Amino acid sequence: MQHTQNLVHDAGLGLRRSFIDQALTTPIKNVSFYEIAPENWMPLGGRLGKQFRAMTERYPFVCHGLSLSIGSTDPLDEDFVKNLKDFMCLHKIKFYSEHLSYCSHEGHLYDLMPIPFTEEAVHHVAKRIQRVQDILEQKIAIENASYYAAPGQEMTEIDFFNAVVAEADCDVLLDINNTYVNSINHNYDAEEFLQAIPAQRISYAHIAGHYVEAEDFLVDTHGAEVIDPVWQLLGKAYELYGVFPTLLERDFNIPSVAELEREVGTIQSIQNAWQTHNEQLSA
């Protein structure tokens, strides 16, 4: 079954409808690949559907799901996964990722809820991930999610994450901002978390901004600029594991294309610096 490493490269950007016209007219600088939430694009026809098709004909794309609810006790939505497979085939989308969370219980909850860090939950989630991979005939990447409570916790976040990934034999979407946010909210060392990630499974990374509610309480909003400590954490990840594809998420307060270009350019600059550094060390 195909893994997801080396299917996209360099720096990426989450595609949003607000700037698709500009992206088609003039290529956005520094962007090597795009990501979309398939739920927002699968049902589209008309002008937006044609624009999306034009984008996927020009650029590599990945899908990042919002509604699969991989940790839910509700039945897995296999019809959605089958439709997703057709959609990905139609647009030659490289692979699919999802959050290690759930968002439904006898109906959608419209938020990403934390899965209890328990052995029972490891087996439950891993089995569902395996089923998704069987349908798609491809590995998927699972993202370390932000969370604000840990009900029924029997193990640490990193131990739970690693146990799910190992048992499911899936790949990893490493969210740098989530790692930072969780480290502040739950008082752990973000670099130690990075050091424990199964690096050989990293397919790509996310980086984003967040909202500061209090000194010890951050909210993962994707609605602000990336702050320096998060950029530094990205550099630490490259130092540990080498440079891997990294994508900027911006879902709210979407700025001008010029500002998006600047932040994606920062990703690229950090990638180039660490690529050069690592090459010099190995020379």
Side-chain angles (χ1 to χ4, degrees):
M1 189 177 290
Q2 184 182 18
H3 281 271
T4 59
Q5 287 76 34
N6 302 312
L7 295 182
V8 292
H9 303 279
D10 304 323
L13 178 64
L15 181 66
R16 304 294 178 258
R17 297 181 191 182
S18 61
F19 58 80
I20 191 171
D21 283 336
Q22 288 173 273
L24 280 169
T25 302
T26 306
I28 297 178
K29 297 174 185 175
N30 307 312
V31 176
S32 296
F33 69 101
Y34 284 94
E35 176 193 84
I36 51 114
E39 296 88 341
N40 293 337
W41 297 89
M42 285 166 64
L44 286 183
R47 179 172 175 268
L48 271 172
K50 290 177 181 177
Q51 287 180 315
F52 178 65
R53 183 58 183 265
M55 287 292 293
T56 61
E57 288 174 347
R58 298 182 192 182
Y59 300 99
F61 269 77
V62 297
C63 279
H64 183 51
L66 296 172
S67 66
L68 185 59
S69 199
I70 201 67
S72 178
T73 55
D74 291 347
L76 184 67
D77 189 347
E78 295 194 2
D79 287 340
F80 168 77
V81 181
K82 291 170 184 174
N83 290 335
L84 172 67
K85 183 179 182 180
D86 292 341
F87 174 77
M88 291 174 64
C89 181
L90 175 64
H91 292 284
K92 295 182 172 58
I93 291 170
K94 301 297 184 180
F95 59 91
Y96 174 71
S97 65
E98 248 292 358
H99 307 80
L100 187 56
S101 61
Y102 72 98
C103 59
S104 65
H105 179 66
E106 299 176 359
H108 273 278
L109 302 173
Y110 301 102
D111 206 348
L112 297 173
M113 307 297 291
I115 303 168
F117 299 156
T118 67
E119 186 176 346
E120 181 183 9
V122 168
H123 302 320
H124 173 73
V125 177
K127 184 178 180 181
R128 287 163 69 91
I129 293 172
Q130 288 171 334
R131 179 58 184 153
V132 173
Q133 293 183 148
D134 287 344
I135 296 171
L136 293 180
E137 300 180 277
Q138 185 185 42
K139 300 292 184 184
I140 69 171
I142 290 295
E143 179 186 30
N144 56 304
S146 57
Y147 65 102
Y148 306 97
Q153 183 170 358
E154 295 176 359
M155 60 183 78
T156 64
E157 176 194 349
I158 188 60
D159 287 345
F160 177 73
F161 183 80
N162 285 348
V164 169
V165 168
E167 186 167 324
D169 190 20
C170 63
D171 291 328
V172 169
L173 164 50
L174 176 59
D175 194 300
I176 302 295
N177 185 62
N178 288 353
T179 301
Y180 179 78
V181 165
N182 291 346
S183 75
I184 298 298
N185 292 345
H186 303 288
N187 193 30
Y188 66 72
D189 189 301
E191 289 191 13
E192 288 183 3
F193 184 96
L194 286 183
Q195 289 166 2
I197 285 286
Q200 73 281 5
R201 293 183 182 270
I202 296 173
S203 56
Y204 72 124
H206 277 169
I207 195 162
H210 56 259
Y211 176 72
V212 180
E213 181 70 32
E215 236 179 67
D216 58 352
F217 183 33
L218 309 181
V219 183
D220 176 39
T221 60
H222 304 170
E225 290 184 25
V226 181
I227 65 170
D228 285 344
V230 177
W231 287 124
Q232 290 164 12
L233 195 61
L234 177 64
K236 184 64 181 180
Y238 293 158
E239 179 185 1
L240 288 168
Y241 303 128
V243 173
F244 42 75
T246 302
L247 179 133
L248 176 70
E249 292 185 292
R250 191 68 180 260
D251 294 328
F252 303 100
N253 303 321
I254 297 175
S256 67
V257 166
E259 179 62 21
L260 294 172
E261 286 178 335
R262 184 188 66 78
E263 284 205 286
V264 177
T266 301
I267 296 173
Q268 197 170 64
S269 295
I270 297 171
Q271 288 177 328
N272 291 341
W274 279 106
Q275 186 70 41
T276 300
H277 174 82
N278 294 337
E279 287 172 356
Q280 289 173 345
L281 286 180
S282 61

